[in-house]
Amino acid sequence: MPRPTPPSSRPAAPARLFRTSRAGLAAFTTAALLTTGGLVGAPAALSATPGVSATATAADGARIVAEKWLDARTVDLTVDSPAVGAQLPVRVILPAAFAAQPERTWPVLYLLQGAHDDYTSWTRETDVEGFLADKDVITVMPSSGSTGIPTSWWNYGIGSSRDYETFQVEEVMQLLRANYRAGSTRAVAGVSTGGYGALAFAARHPGTFGAAASYSGVLDTTSIGMPTVVNAIVARELELPLTLWGSYVLNRNIWNEHNPYAQAARLAGTRLYISQGSGVPSSDFGNLQGAILEGTLWNQAHRFTDHLAELGVPAQVHYYSGGSHAWSSWQKEFTASWPTLAAGLGLSG
């Protein structure tokens, strides 16, 4: 089947921090933060494109059940994931030279979404497609679910199929290798809860990612106030907070197993870029909530980077005055972090 004709343009969407479908719960989340500081549509038929045969499966049976080409380089995949127990969307941007070099393999850059957003956020809110147009890298933006926390859910210890970590780190990569000529070199970056995911993945899978970058990430989930923030994120999606990692007090070992701070020593050897704004006072006068949230994360970010220094784990750190928990800050930080990510991907720039 020939590839569908790419649309001439995609409609612009207004920048936003949170999805609005659950706006009725926003007050609860905001109140919790102040005290502490994607849906998949009907699958499209698989389409053939030169050099791509999206039929191979992952080791656990994960498979691509649909492709939807948005333009010559960008394709939305629907992946049937045994790890999560659902069909999930994944956006992939191929290198410009992908079709012209059919024997070549490519490094992979993960870009992770934030809380209450979806897999389209990076292309919706930034110029990442244009920025990466001359970069020799496959870029992948997998869904992290409605909470945006890419982790394995505890589910009271009775077993859970919601394992976004396995989905992203293992299943998606196996499918990219089998179907899109991905190589073994990887880097990962994320905003907010995606920043958590970037550092958690790199720490929990040493040597898997050559570089990891966090922009306003939740990097110490057990720091003062942070369990309340995490629980508020889960509750806003009408989930029971204890289903994530259990009780912060009674299941502290599970929290620590998933906490970048507690696993920081395992980041040795990974190139790191960590940025965080102070929030208030912010130059983003129209986003007071974003400024307050950014400030809420300030202390835990410092605690994390101080811990890295104590451990002798090098990191490029950028703390800046003001800013807000929004894309207006994160796009600048992504650009600033590119040399770190490129080095981890084995690229010259």
Side-chain angles (χ1 to χ4, degrees), residues 69-150:
W69 288 91
L70 305 182
D71 56 43
R73 293 170 51 220
T74 308
V75 57
D76 280 354
L77 308 177
T78 302
V79 174
D80 187 21
S81 167
V84 178
Q87 291 188 357
L88 299 172
V90 178
R91 179 159 290 180
V92 177
I93 303 176
L94 298 174
F98 184 85
Q101 300 181 38
E103 303 303 318
R104 182 176 177 179
T105 59
W106 308 85
V108 177
L109 172 64
Y110 284 71
L111 296 177
L112 306 184
Q113 69 180 76
H116 318 304
D117 212 321
D118 62 30
Y119 73 106
T120 70
S121 59
W122 276 90
T123 53
R124 188 188 68 231
E125 304 289 1
T126 77
D127 65 351
V128 66
E129 289 168 290
F131 180 84
L132 295 171
D134 63 346
K135 310 295 192 294
D136 290 336
V137 62
I138 294 173
T139 306
V140 57
M141 292 150 278
S143 172
S144 297
S146 58
T147 66
I149 304 175

Side-chain angles (χ1 to χ4, degrees), residues 33 149 218 221 225-235 241 244-245 255:
L33 296 175
I149 304 175
V218 183
T221 59
M226 287 303 103
T228 302
V229 171
V230 172
N231 288 339
I233 291 170
V234 175
L244 183 65
W245 297 318
W255 281 73

Side-chain angles (χ1 to χ4, degrees), residues 123-332:
T123 53
R124 188 188 68 231
E125 304 289 1
T126 77
D127 65 351
V128 66
E129 289 168 290
F131 180 84
L132 295 171
D134 63 346
K135 310 295 192 294
D136 290 336
V137 62
I138 294 173
T139 306
V140 57
M141 292 150 278
S143 172
S144 297
S146 58
T147 66
I149 304 175
T151 190
S152 55
W153 289 57
W154 177 60
N155 194 31
Y156 302 101
I158 60 176
S160 171
S161 61
R162 283 194 292 179
D163 186 349
Y164 287 93
E165 182 173 344
T166 295
F167 165 64
Q168 295 190 5
V169 176
E170 297 182 17
E171 290 180 343
V172 167
M173 190 62 185
Q174 289 175 22
L175 291 172
L176 290 176
R177 285 176 177 168
N179 297 291
Y180 293 92
R181 292 187 274 122
S184 59
T185 304
R186 287 187 262 184
V188 59
V191 302
S192 188
T193 54
Y196 158 80
L199 273 293
F201 286 178
R204 285 168 56 79
H205 303 271
T208 298
F209 297 91
S214 166
Y215 320 115
S216 307
V218 183
L219 305 181
D220 184 0
T221 59
T222 62
S223 183
I224 295 175
M226 287 303 103
T228 302
V229 171
V230 172
N231 288 339
I233 291 170
V234 175
R236 184 177 168 180
E237 297 300 328
L238 302 181
E239 300 276 4
L240 295 175
L242 291 181
T243 59
L244 183 65
W245 297 318
S247 164
Y248 162 68
V249 176
L250 300 178
N251 303 104
R252 186 67 173 266
N253 62 317
I254 299 175
W255 281 73
N256 283 337
E257 287 172 1
H258 293 86
N259 186 5
Y261 178 93
Q263 303 297 321
R266 294 160 64 88
L267 289 167
T270 302
R271 293 177 173 86
L272 303 175
Y273 183 96
I274 298 161
S275 67
Q276 178 66 54
S278 65
V280 179
S282 174
S283 59
D284 190 355
F285 300 107
N287 188 6
L288 178 60
Q289 180 181 349
I292 293 172
L293 177 53
E294 190 72 1
T296 299
L297 300 174
W298 178 260
N299 288 335
Q300 61 94 40
H302 275 275
R303 187 168 184 263
F304 177 76
T305 56
D306 288 348
H307 188 43
L308 288 180
E310 292 169 355
L311 294 168
V313 177
Q316 183 176 353
V317 178
H318 182 212
Y319 287 109
Y320 51 94
S321 178
S324 60
H325 205 71
W327 291 98
S328 55
S329 297
W330 299 332
Q331 175 156 337
K332 298 174 185 176

Side-chain angles (χ1 to χ4, degrees), residues 10 36 133 247 343:
R10 274 178 272 174
T36 65
S247 164

